[in-house]
Amino acid sequence: MKKIGVLTSGGDSPGMNAAIRAAVRTAYTDEIAVVGIRRGYSGLLDEEFIDMDYSSVGGIMEKGGTVLRSSRCEEFRTEEGRAKAADLLRSNGIDALVVIGGEGSLNGAKLLMDENGIPVIGLPGTIDNDIAMTDMCIGVDTCLNTCVETIQKLKDTASSHERAFVVEVMGRNSGYVALASGMAVGAEAIIVPELPVDYEAIAEKIWNERKRGKINCIIVVAEGASSAYTVARHVEHRIGYETRITILGHIQRGGSPTAFDRVLASRMGYASVKALEEGKAGMMMSLNGGKIKGIPLEEVLSHKKELDMELMEMAKILS
Ligand code: F6P
């Protein structure tokens, strides 16, 4: 293997730059050339290639976003698009590809390999933490810290005015971000897509706590379960608080990565190049019981990540 390509695809997540840096520097040390592919699969199809070396990734680890930029590419969803991408990789002498992104991006990488024989390694990069067979994805920890910092601020003003805040967080179809951030701020209710919403029970619990003397209330709702507006409409007249709404939105995707995300992304980026050097491909690097392991993409993509229901129960008891 003489040359590898690296790209970031789909929704960006904090820590992607640390993964790029690690892949580039590991390859550089092992005398493998690296081409950075800009704008994900779109840039691959447009041949937006840049040579990268040791110094070109200096100072990027602490940056949010992705220096390679990202996109969601319709053309790459087609077999013809992927065949074109494979031809372009071959004609540019790129022997293998490291793809950093979410489930859709990893699925694209798998199809590129299955249909065209391009060796790929995937790294799970998404704030949603919805990829199976890895404990954590790159960017989740930073996202959670952003949520906690922001909701904590809302709690301050909620207490001053004796109000309830309904906070909508991202996560696509997963309730992980809502559950973990809600638990970390001691939210009075957490609404996730994995469980049916019982507005009656939520309103009753909050009203009872209000009667007992609570002066603020935080309800965290995952975007995949409902919207903050719908939740507020259902509960605001029954909980004894004036209610306000906050949608955290894309603020959750930005910011300098936490130490956890920097280390995780560095370990995964390093492992991706080492795996390719050992002739492995069609795998995702995953965090598994503290260790970085290569798991076949086939296995990863055929499983659904389950929400930890014990944690959900615990959050309810502790709030
Ligand atoms: O997958 C990451 C994510 O931020 C989801 O949580 C969210 O649903 C989606 O991407 C938003 O996508 P876009 O940035 O295209 O609006």
Side-chain angles (χ1 to χ4, degrees):
M1 200 180 51
K2 293 201 174 76
K3 200 195 268 188
I4 61 169
V6 180
L7 63 82
T8 49
S9 166
D12 59 350
S13 67
M16 281 182 162
N17 286 326
I20 296 167
R21 173 180 174 270
V24 170
R25 289 199 166 164
T26 307
Y28 181 88
T29 307
D30 295 347
E31 295 179 358
I32 298 165
V34 183
V35 168
I37 300 166
R38 280 214 174 116
R39 295 175 43 246
Y41 293 126
S42 300
L44 169 50
L45 291 168
D46 293 340
E47 277 189 279
E48 287 192 45
F49 298 159
I50 41 165
D51 292 330
M52 299 184 92
D53 61 17
Y54 195 89
S55 60
S56 58
V57 290
I60 69 167
M61 185 155 65
E62 57 269 39
K63 289 199 165 90
T66 158
V67 293
L68 288 177
R69 302 181 209 153
S70 192
S71 66
R72 303 191 197 277
C73 177
E74 278 310 312
E75 194 183 349
F76 196 77
R77 289 180 205 270
T78 66
E79 212 174 317
E80 298 75 42
R82 292 189 292 273
K84 181 180 163 193
D87 288 345
L88 289 170
L89 287 168
R90 286 201 185 94
S91 61
N92 281 277
I94 299 169
D95 304 310
L97 194 62
V98 175
V99 172
I100 309 161
E103 205 175 0
S105 307
L106 299 185
N107 193 45
K110 180 183 176 294
L111 291 172
L112 181 70
M113 178 160 164
D114 291 351
E115 294 164 0
N116 303 284
I118 302 286
V120 299
I121 293 285
L123 303 187
T126 168
I127 61 158
D128 301 335
N129 213 26
D130 59 349
I131 298 178
M133 321 213 76
T134 185
D135 297 339
M136 288 290 268
C137 299
I138 296 166
V140 176
D141 186 64
T142 310
C143 163
L144 291 179
N145 279 287
T146 301
C147 292
V148 167
E149 193 190 328
T150 317
I151 299 171
Q152 211 61 56
K153 286 178 180 165
L154 294 174
K155 228 173 159 171
D156 290 344
T157 173
S159 299
S160 308
H161 292 265
E162 299 187 27
R163 281 175 172 162
F165 273 81
V166 183
V167 187
E168 185 181 315
V169 298
M170 279 185 167
R172 208 177 281 278
N173 300 315
S174 162
Y176 181 85
V177 173
L179 170 55
S181 60
M183 186 165 180
V185 298
E188 278 62 37
I190 301 170
I191 300 171
V192 296
E194 290 84 351
L195 288 171
V197 197
D198 186 346
Y199 290 117
E200 201 69 44
I202 290 173
E204 196 186 323
K205 173 180 184 273
I206 294 172
W207 173 232
N208 285 335
E209 287 166 0
R210 177 75 174 132
K211 279 193 292 187
R212 278 209 309 268
K214 263 207 181 180
I215 58 161
N216 69 54
C217 167
I218 299 288
I219 301 172
V220 178
V221 55
E223 64 173 354
S226 187
S227 78
Y229 289 96
T230 307
V231 174
R233 219 175 31 244
H234 274 94
V235 299
E236 66 184 330
H237 300 300
R238 301 191 264 167
I239 56 179
Y241 292 100
E242 192 183 5
T243 303
R244 292 288 185 269
I245 282 163
T246 301
I247 298 169
L248 294 193
H250 288 79
I251 194 170
Q252 293 160 97
R253 292 235 299 260
S256 179
T258 57
F260 180 90
D261 273 328
R262 294 180 197 198
V263 174
L264 178 67
S266 299
R267 291 173 75 193
M268 287 181 167
Y270 172 88
S272 66
V273 174
K274 290 293 176 190
L276 287 171
E277 286 182 53
E278 286 163 20
K280 294 179 186 154
M283 299 197 153
M284 182 188 82
M285 292 302 132
S286 90
L287 179 69
N288 221 292
K291 299 241 179 318
I292 302 296
K293 290 184 185 156
I295 314 258
L297 279 167
E298 169 120 45
E299 217 175 306
V300 171
L301 297 169
S302 60
H303 284 83
K304 188 177 162 357
K305 182 146 189 165
E306 301 293 338
L307 193 70
D308 186 341
M309 289 303 162
E310 225 180 297
L311 209 62
M312 192 75 197
E313 217 29 62
M314 209 188 293
K316 243 191 227 164
I317 293 165
L318 300 182
S319 80

